[in-house]
């Protein structure tokens, strides 16, 4: 799939999500559905957005024993989403099982990407709570390589890590990156941020953008600006 901007639809209900997307008229942004919306509305919200012509990244971050994840992925695969994800911390065995579950009888499947370390986990928490005594960036890269070895299509990472991930796992290994802000805007709670143009320069394949679009006075204009800067 070509590079694109993915709009994080972090809304609590289908009604709010559809009202937001109605503003785009005939334009059909690539959207991300996360846990909040999926748990509130169930698979029907995915079907509705698919019927409306959106491409969908279903961000449910699965993490369980391989057999459970395999069966869950089989269900998600039938929803015909474009990208799904899981935690690389579930091990290569879990990632391999996930791919098996995701692959349809005709051999097609959604793209599968892995979360490495959450950006909310810092070096201290990793060392003191998870007992992982390595530099965070080394851990992120090791998890990315595990995901590539298991046959996954890419990772969710910071745009600042996209270059190293490509170097280590190959140019075609996807980097899907949140933490994007316009140059003239605030950061919200994001810390390590880049602009859409910066993410392009750093080699991100997809940028995930929430509040700069969802909370903009004119979301359609903000989405268009984001695409112009990222895809230029
Ligand atoms: O509003 P904002 O642009 O910060 O939204 C970014 C989206 O990307 C949110 O849905 C957030 O949960 C998600 N995300 C993130 N950082 C990660 C993984 C996902 O911000 N490491």
């Amino acid at each position: 799939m070509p590079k694109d901007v993915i709009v994080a639809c972090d809304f609590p209900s289908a009604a709010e999500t559809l009202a937001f997307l109605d503003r785009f008229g005939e334009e059909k942004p690539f959207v991300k559905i996360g846990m909040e919306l999926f748990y509130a509305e169930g698979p029907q919200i995915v079907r509705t957005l698919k019927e409306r012509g959106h491409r969908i990244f279903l961000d449910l971050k699965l993490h369980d024993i391989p057999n459970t994840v395999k069966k869950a992925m089989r269900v998600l695969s039938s929803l015909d989403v474009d990208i799904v994800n899981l935690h690389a911390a579930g091990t290569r065995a879990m990632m391999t099982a996930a791919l098996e579950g995701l692959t349809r009888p005709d051999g097609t499947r959604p793209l599968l990407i892995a979360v490495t370390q959450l950006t909310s986990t810092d070096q201290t928490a990793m060392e003191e709570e998870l007992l992982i005594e390595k530099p965070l960036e080394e851990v992120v890269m090791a998890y990315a390589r595990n995901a590539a070895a298991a046959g996954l299509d890419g990772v969710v990472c910071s745009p600042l890590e996209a270059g190293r991930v490509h170097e280590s796992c190959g140019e075609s290994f996807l980097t899907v990156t949140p933490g994007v802000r316009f140059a003239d805007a605030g950061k919200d709670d994001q810390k390590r941020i880049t602009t859409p143009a910066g993410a392009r320069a750093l080699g991100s394949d997809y940028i995930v953008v929430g509040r700069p679009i969802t909370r903009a006075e004119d979301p359609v204009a903000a989405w268009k600006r984001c695409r112009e800067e990222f895809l230029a």
Side-chain angles (χ1 to χ4, degrees):
M1 283 197 292
K3 295 189 178 214
D4 208 344
V5 172
I6 301 178
V7 181
C9 288
D10 293 323
F11 298 108
S13 68
E16 278 178 64
T17 307
L18 298 181
F20 168 74
L21 292 173
D22 280 345
R23 299 180 68 166
F24 290 76
E26 290 305 304
E27 305 268 21
K28 301 294 173 191
F30 198 140
V31 297
K32 177 170 90 78
I33 298 176
M35 291 185 206
E36 182 187 16
L37 184 57
F38 191 80
Y39 291 156
E41 300 289 349
Q44 189 53 44
I45 184 65
V46 175
R47 294 190 193 102
T48 302
L49 295 187
K50 263 282 157 198
E51 278 161 20
R52 285 176 163 228
H54 294 276
R55 282 177 296 154
I56 298 175
F57 168 21
L58 189 55
D59 178 19
L60 299 182
K61 300 187 178 71
L62 276 69
H63 188 174
D64 208 316
I65 59 170
N67 187 53
T68 300
V69 169
K70 179 177 172 175
K71 288 179 175 171
M73 286 294 183
R74 185 157 296 153
V75 176
L76 297 183
S77 161
S78 73
L79 287 177
D80 196 24
V81 294
D82 298 276
I83 307 179
V84 292
N85 63 356
L86 45 60
H87 274 283
T91 75
R92 281 193 221 170
M94 188 198 79
M95 292 192 267
T96 307
L99 269 183
E100 284 171 22
L102 209 52
T103 305
R104 305 181 187 104
D106 66 0
T108 63
R109 63 168 175 80
L111 294 173
L112 180 61
I113 62 176
V115 175
T116 53
Q117 278 290 354
L118 291 170
T119 44
S120 51
T121 305
D122 62 12
Q123 186 73 38
T124 309
M126 212 179 61
E127 286 179 16
E128 293 182 1
E129 297 176 38
L130 307 181
L131 306 185
I132 301 172
E133 294 181 352
K134 298 264 188 193
L136 184 57
E137 196 172 315
E138 219 178 282
V139 176
V140 167
M141 295 310 301
Y143 283 19
R145 283 193 296 273
N146 285 342
L152 268 66
D153 303 293
V155 286
V156 183
C157 64
S158 157
L160 304 168
E161 292 154 1
R164 277 201 67 196
V165 169
H166 281 140
E167 268 169 37
S168 186
C169 303
E171 276 310 309
S172 61
F173 192 68
L174 299 174
T175 51
V176 179
T177 66
V180 176
R181 291 293 178 269
F182 291 119
D184 51 6
K187 291 181 171 188
D188 298 312
D189 53 355
Q190 296 283 11
K191 292 196 177 99
R192 299 170 70 222
I193 57 164
T194 54
T195 60
R200 183 192 69 227
L202 289 163
S204 295
D205 295 296
Y206 292 91
I207 52 174
V208 177
V209 186
R211 289 161 290 181
I213 293 174
T214 57
R215 296 208 188 148
E217 220 163 276
D218 185 343
V220 182
W223 173 69
K224 285 185 175 161
R225 176 182 171 192
C226 214
R227 292 189 93 217
E228 273 161 25
E229 291 185 16
F230 181 59
L231 302 173

